[in-house]
Amino acid sequence: MRIEEIKILRGPNYWSIRRTELIQMKLDLEEMEQKPTNTIDGFSQRLATLFPSMYAHRCSVGKPGGFFQRVEEGTWLGHVIEHIALEIQTLAGMETGFGRTRGTGEDGKYFVVLSYIEEDAGVYAAKAAVRIAEALANNKPYDLTDDIQCLREIREDTRLGPSTGCIVEEAAKRGIPHMRLNKQSLVQLGYGVNQKRIRATIASTTGNIAVDIACNKEETKNLLEAAEIPVPRGTVVRTELGLEEAVAKFGYPLVIKPIDGNHGKGNTTNIINWEQALKAFEAAKVYGRSVIVERFITGFDFRVLVINYKFICAALRTPASVLGDGQHTIQWLIDETNKDSRRGFGHEKVLTQITVDGSTMKMLEDIGYTLETIQPKGELVLLKTTANLSTGGTSNDVTDEVHPANIVMCERIAKIIGLDICGIDIMAQDLHTPVNENGGAILEVNAAPGFRMHIEPAEGLPRNVAEPVIDMLFPDRSNGRIPIIAITGTNGKTTTTRLTAHISKAAGKKVGYTTSDGVYIQNQLLMKGDCTGPLSSQFVLKDPTVDFAVLECARGGILKNGLAFQFCDVAIVTNVAEDHIGLGGINSVEQMARVKAVVPETVFPHGYAVLNADDDLVYAMKKDLKCNIALFSMDEKNPRIQEHCNAGGLATVFENGYISILKGTWKIRVMLAKDIPITFEGKAVHNIANTLPSVMATYLFKSITIEDIRTGLQTFISSSNTTPGRLNFFHFKHFTFLADFAHNPHGLRLLGDFVQKLDYPYKVGVISGTGDRRDEDIRELGAISARYFDEIIIRCDKNLRGRTAEEIIELLQEGVRSVNPDLPQMVIANENLALEYIYANYKPGALYTIMCDVVAGALDKIKELKDREGY
């Protein structure tokens, strides 16, 4: 078996709208296509032995053991690989269960689709599942241990930490979108101008100065001491002599730690002699020249969490430790402790397994113990210097025990330092009496405090500490979103996108929009090229100046990665026609309609899908949508429009020369179509059709008025700057170029209809075919061209996409000959040479219509010729 391709889907996609995180693997079964599972001796038994937990897989049978039943009856290995990939992720602590295996349309080749929790782990699981299935089929032993451990390590390396993760999960509950901005913990919550950012538990609202103070332990201590907050006596030293003076002044026991450390790094506690002090001094200096020496405060280690300057919760923390039983070694006790079902690898469970490291060995050595020591019964031996959960420590929630005076003190501390998300470390006998009365002290104030001890305490009540963070960042239950209009279809997407964005801009919106020729932020071109995929949409949604997004969403991006957004406010589907058929596993126009339907399926229930009532495939999408429907049509008397509006629905239509909005039985005439520049006095019928959904989509927003729409329509001029590659005229002294991106039969017919209405004595078509299209599609381009033009010049695209130039030319010529064998035609394969030929050999008064492949390149060449003419 051979993996041909793996795609990572990160948003709504062809396979699922709500299960957005999927791996799509294209798998060639090769000779195994002829061997379903019931023909492979012992396969089902070996599978069940290796994966007994797979009994829970119901599969299409719909009951436990259902998948094993399918295997015994006979299924293909692609289906088995899907289930294996899901199961090994679950065994590694990433429970997930959505999968699909479908044929690609090619013999023996399948799309194996499976959900993932962490995408790198999903890719690994897909590849490992193929190896495992091959071993089972060939009756070879296979040990899962390495794969499971590798998946666990990938998960820990790539997942958001529990603190960041719980904030993101809480945001999702509130309908706030998020985007991970790096491979660590930097996350954007919300879109555009309404976005906030978090990095671990530092928020974009957190003050720089406050974080700087919290990271400087001496400065923190001085501020607190000045405010009559109890802190340990201590000083800062830089030399061994300074350490000697500190020891003499404060006596033992001591704590030594770096001045700007965090998470307990470089800290040594309960130092009782000079040798320990010297070692601790050197350990702290690894993290900076300045070192704090403090009196060691005895008591219990508490963490208090203050968010938005309000007390939220408190926890008692205990470092990783073992309790002696008088019979077993310390190593045995560690191993037994790690058998607790609540302990796991990294952050996969409530508690983390205890690992023995250099710090552990040093602590044991300091008390004269080794791992083989049998400690007395009842003796507690600490194994780590800090109580961090990530090193095996435990936490008990004590929120309800905290004395009101301590709550006031902690809220004061947060204000004094200026931290809106603040973790306060307190050493005291308890928190149910005031700290300033029980001999306790504030040890540290932490920026980016960990939340895990509060959301998953070993004992006590879990606290939803993410909720107050989200309430702080997004007050009044706001969701951080900006309006999104998403546009898809076969033809007309880019013009509709540009016009919609232009109308929105006329209404005062700060618009970001994506098109097939680039990404624009407030009309500034910031990215060039085909930008109709999810990365380009994310570019807009990440921009902090954008308050309104108009996103062109093409087939390629949906199939490759899915959409960049989970929900949109308005979706437009212009039309569905035969283009890109046979690519990416899409082998019919009906399947293509399913791809396009992904976009309207993301519309909020309160939003609108704007659908073409003149297109059967587009209109049929409405039956599966859970949102409001608005229609558009070139025919006011379209029965679908009449039925929809009689029921009180909304529509835009072309009637009696007007672009009109229908609200139930009422009519609002927006503008005469011939007065809209991009319609070229009504001759460009396809641009009238493109105007209809733009008018409806913008009308649906209360903040955009009819006058805004009229202004936008009147000021949107078709040119190589505003609509590159869409009906761009270049008038030379003795002839005219018309450049257009028409690249499929449907688009070329629309272009031909427009050209036919133009008053030119002679019309030449400069045509090409796209190499990855079907033979019949390329022939059809030739045939359509022969119906509209007086002469044909055949050129070739720069990217032949898997064919030879000779193949494409011959197919185009076959199409031309099928309509008019005597039509004058010539071949100039290079586009620039073809344009040069026309410039040197033009027919006076002729219109030369060129189908652009690379729009920018063709336009640049035509502009170069235009400049040359001026000399």
Side-chain angles (χ1 to χ4, degrees):
M1 294 182 288
R2 180 168 57 88
I3 298 172
E4 290 194 353
E5 179 183 55
I6 290 181
K7 292 179 179 177
I8 302 171
L9 307 180
R10 303 181 180 93
N13 55 75
Y14 180 75
W15 304 101
S16 178
I17 299 302
R18 297 295 168 250
R19 294 180 179 91
T20 56
E21 297 178 324
L22 300 176
I23 299 297
Q24 177 183 300
M25 175 169 61
K26 187 177 181 182
L27 181 66
D28 186 350
L29 294 187
E30 297 179 323
E31 72 276 2
M32 298 308 293
E33 170 68 0
Q34 308 306 319
K35 296 180 180 180
T37 53
N38 61 338
T39 68
I40 304 173
D41 288 342
F43 183 86
S44 60
Q45 292 87 347
R46 292 192 292 274
L47 179 67
T49 300
L50 189 61
F51 294 104
S53 55
M54 207 180 278
Y55 180 79
H57 292 213
R58 295 170 175 265
C59 204
S60 57
V61 178
K63 62 180 182 181
F67 174 62
F68 284 154
Q69 181 180 327
R70 290 288 310 278
V71 173
E72 290 173 2
E73 292 170 351
T75 188
W76 271 260
L77 282 185
H79 183 204
V80 174
I81 287 166
E82 168 204 324
H83 281 262
I84 291 174
L86 293 171
E87 185 63 15
I88 60 177
Q89 289 183 85
T90 297
L91 293 173
M94 296 170 283
E95 188 168 351
T96 187
F98 177 83
R100 294 285 185 272
T101 300
R102 299 290 184 268
T104 66
E106 303 173 72
D107 289 343
K109 295 184 180 182
Y110 294 84
F111 287 127
V112 178
V113 179
L114 54 114
S115 54
Y116 64 84
I117 303 299
E118 299 298 330
E119 64 181 49
D120 288 352
V123 172
Y124 182 94
K127 294 177 179 179
V130 175
R131 297 194 299 268
I132 295 167
E134 286 179 329
L136 290 170
N138 295 321
N139 195 16
K140 293 182 178 179
Y142 197 96
D143 186 353
L144 292 175
T145 306
D146 288 346
D147 285 331
I148 301 303
Q149 183 59 26
C150 187
L151 284 167
R152 285 174 171 163
E153 292 173 3
I154 292 171
R155 180 198 66 212
E156 292 305 305
D157 287 343
T158 60
R159 72 187 299 189
L160 289 172
S163 301
T164 313
C166 75
I167 296 173
V168 169
E169 288 171 11
E170 185 64 27
K173 292 177 188 175
R174 282 264 296 268
I176 299 167
H178 75 276
M179 287 187 280
R180 196 166 176 176
L181 300 181
N182 63 11
K183 291 185 177 181
Q184 286 75 47
S185 57
L186 182 62
V187 177
Q188 175 181 317
L189 303 175
Y191 291 148
V193 296
N194 294 325
Q195 68 179 271
K196 303 291 184 182
R197 291 180 181 175
I198 58 171
R199 186 197 294 274
T201 59
I202 292 178
S204 49
T205 55
T206 304
N208 230 3
I209 294 175
V211 174
D212 189 57
I213 291 171
C215 289
N216 187 315
K217 300 183 190 305
E218 182 65 11
E219 193 166 352
T220 299
K221 181 180 172 182
N222 291 339
L223 285 173
L224 296 183
E225 192 170 23
E228 295 298 326
I229 303 292
V231 294
R233 295 170 59 233
T235 188
V236 175
V237 302
R238 292 181 176 82
T239 65
E240 190 174 321
L241 178 60
L243 177 62
E244 284 186 45
E245 293 172 352
V247 169
K249 181 176 181 180
F250 301 114
Y252 298 113
L254 293 171
V255 175
I256 296 179
K257 54 190 176 182
I259 196 169
D260 53 1
N262 54 47
H263 300 295
K265 293 176 180 176
N267 291 13
T268 306
T269 61
N270 199 18
I271 298 165
I272 58 173
N273 58 50
W274 174 249
E275 183 182 357
Q276 290 179 358
L278 203 55
K279 287 182 180 179
F281 178 67
E282 294 302 325
K285 285 186 68 176
V286 171
Y287 298 92
R289 291 180 57 228
S290 299
V291 171
I292 293 177
V293 180
E294 288 179 346
R295 182 75 180 170
F296 178 62
I297 306 295
T298 59
F300 296 98
D301 184 352
F302 295 96
R303 164 64 64 84
V304 173
L305 184 64
V306 177
I307 297 174
N308 203 16
Y309 308 109
K310 297 292 183 184
F311 169 81
I312 301 300
C313 57
L316 168 64
R317 304 186 299 174
T318 304
S321 59
V322 290
L323 188 66
D325 62 2
Q327 298 180 21
H328 296 96
T329 66
I330 291 174
Q331 181 64 66
W332 187 92
L333 293 170
I334 292 172
D335 294 340
E336 283 299 298
T337 301
N338 283 338
K339 290 178 182 178
D340 185 339
S341 60
R342 297 175 300 169
R343 291 190 181 270
F345 181 81
H347 294 143
E348 72 178 343
K349 294 185 179 180
V350 173
L351 300 174
T352 299
Q353 290 187 344
I354 300 171
T355 58
V356 174
D357 57 15
S359 172
T360 305
M361 298 304 293
K362 179 181 179 302
M363 292 186 69
L364 293 177
E365 180 185 338
D366 288 344
I367 59 174
Y369 284 0
T370 71
L371 291 173
E372 299 308 312
T373 299
I374 298 175
Q375 65 198 87
K377 184 176 182 178
E379 181 184 62
L380 185 71
V381 172
L382 300 183
L383 303 171
K384 303 291 180 184
T385 57
T386 63
N388 293 338
L389 270 66
S390 59
T391 59
T394 61
S395 68
N396 298 347
D397 179 74
V398 294
T399 302
D400 298 330
E401 302 174 12
V402 181
H403 192 280
N406 291 333
I407 292 175
V408 171
M409 178 189 69
C410 290
E411 291 177 349
R412 279 191 69 223
I413 290 170
K415 281 282 191 180
I416 291 165
I417 303 302
L419 275 179
D420 56 2
I421 302 176
C422 179
I424 302 168
D425 291 343
I426 302 174
M427 185 67 72
Q429 292 302 315
D430 58 66
L431 289 185
H432 58 257
T433 57
V435 170
N436 59 3
E437 294 179 8
N438 65 20
I442 309 304
L443 302 185
E444 290 185 9
V445 178
N446 298 277
F451 284 1
R452 185 183 175 201
M453 70 186 75
H454 306 296
I455 59 178
E456 294 180 328
E459 294 181 22
L461 191 66
R463 306 288 173 170
N464 183 3
V465 297
E467 184 176 25
V469 174
I470 295 300
D471 288 340
M472 177 183 71
L473 296 177
F474 299 94
D476 303 320
R477 305 296 294 177
S478 60
N479 60 22
R481 293 182 178 273
I482 61 173
I484 296 175
I485 298 177
I487 299 168
T488 194
T490 300
N491 292 306
K493 299 187 297 297
T494 298
T495 299
T496 302
T497 298
R498 286 180 167 277
L499 178 56
T500 303
H502 185 79
I503 294 170
S504 304
K505 186 172 181 293
K509 309 296 184 185
K510 294 180 174 62
V511 184
Y513 62 98
T514 64
T515 71
S516 57
D517 53 76
V519 176
Y520 296 78
I521 303 295
Q522 300 185 56
N523 269 12
Q524 297 295 311
L525 177 62
L526 297 183
M527 292 175 66
K528 289 185 177 180
D530 186 348
C531 295
T532 56
L535 291 179
S536 303
S537 294
Q538 282 189 353
F539 185 92
V540 169
L541 298 174
K542 288 176 183 177
D543 193 285
T545 69
V546 170
D547 63 13
F548 201 94
V550 183
L551 307 175
E552 181 178 346
C553 304
R555 164 208 66 91
I558 296 171
L559 290 175
K560 185 177 181 181
N561 294 115
L563 296 174
F565 48 87
Q566 298 282 346
F567 296 98
C568 65
D569 299 274
V570 176
I572 295 172
V573 187
T574 58
N575 47 64
V576 177
E578 291 196 347
D579 191 21
H580 299 96
I581 304 301
L583 301 176
I586 304 303
N587 301 307
S588 69
V589 69
E590 289 76 19
Q591 284 184 301
M592 185 61 71
R594 177 71 195 90
V595 176
K596 306 293 185 183
V598 170
V599 177
E601 287 173 357
T602 66
V603 176
F604 282 114
H606 62 267
Y608 277 84
V610 181
L611 306 178
N612 186 348
D614 298 334
D615 187 305
D616 292 344
L617 290 170
V618 175
Y619 181 76
M621 294 177 187
K622 69 191 288 288
K623 70 178 184 296
D624 295 322
L625 300 180
K626 304 296 189 295
C627 62
N628 299 302
I629 305 295
L631 301 177
F632 65 95
S633 173
M634 291 293 288
D635 180 8
E636 179 187 20
K637 296 180 179 178
N638 182 325
R640 293 166 176 170
I641 294 291
Q642 293 179 330
E643 178 186 1
H644 180 70
C645 291
N646 287 339
L650 289 170
T652 43
V653 296
F654 178 51
E655 54 86 23
N656 295 312
Y658 283 90
I659 303 291
S660 296
I661 297 171
L662 305 183
K663 295 180 66 178
T665 58
W666 294 94
K667 182 183 296 183
I668 303 171
R669 283 184 167 169
V670 178
M671 198 170 180
L672 278 168
K674 67 180 182 64
D675 293 337
I676 300 172
I678 64 166
T679 71
F680 293 89
E681 298 180 335
K683 295 185 181 72
V685 176
H686 62 291
N687 272 349
I688 297 176
N690 292 334
T691 300
L692 295 173
S694 292
V695 169
M696 175 53 70
T698 49
Y699 175 74
L700 291 169
F701 291 90
K702 292 181 180 179
S703 58
I704 300 178
T705 67
I706 293 293
E707 283 308 312
D708 293 328
I709 294 172
R710 290 191 180 113
T711 299
L713 294 175
Q714 289 170 333
T715 56
F716 188 66
I717 310 298
S718 181
S719 72
S720 59
N721 293 322
T722 58
T723 56
R726 276 75 184 172
L727 300 187
N728 299 154
F729 282 91
F730 297 86
H731 298 287
F732 286 67
K733 292 177 182 177
H734 303 293
F735 69 97
T736 298
F737 270 125
L738 169 60
D740 195 89
F741 187 57
H743 60 284
N744 57 54
H746 181 260
L748 185 55
R749 285 191 196 93
L750 295 173
L751 177 62
D753 289 341
F754 171 65
V755 169
Q756 201 170 47
K757 296 172 185 175
L758 300 178
D759 188 20
Y760 287 90
Y762 197 76
K763 298 168 184 175
V764 180
V766 184
I767 69 171
S768 63
T770 306
D772 59 4
R773 304 306 198 267
R774 299 174 301 177
D775 288 1
E776 56 266 40
D777 295 329
I778 300 175
R779 288 193 194 95
E780 183 65 9
L781 291 173
I784 294 168
S785 300
R787 296 187 184 101
Y788 289 108
F789 297 109
D790 302 309
E791 181 182 335
I792 300 293
I793 297 175
I794 296 175
R795 65 164 190 85
C796 288
D797 293 345
K798 290 182 179 179
N799 185 353
L800 299 177
R801 304 191 187 192
R803 292 186 188 261
T804 65
E806 291 74 18
E807 283 181 275
I808 297 172
I809 292 166
E810 177 57 31
L811 289 168
L812 289 169
Q813 289 176 329
E814 288 176 12
V816 171
R817 290 194 296 266
S818 70
V819 173
N820 185 352
D822 300 321
L823 189 72
Q825 56 175 294
M826 65 186 303
V827 175
I828 307 177
N830 182 278
E831 181 178 75
N832 284 347
L833 293 179
L835 294 172
E836 288 280 2
Y837 174 84
I838 293 167
Y839 180 76
N841 301 278
Y842 62 83
K843 288 182 170 57
L847 174 68
Y848 291 88
T849 301
I850 178 168
M851 295 167 55
C852 304
D853 166 35
V854 180
V855 171
L859 297 184
D860 286 346
K861 183 62 181 179
I862 293 172
K863 289 174 183 177
E864 177 197 319
L865 296 174
K866 183 67 176 169
D867 290 342
R868 193 187 306 172
E869 185 187 50
Y871 296 151

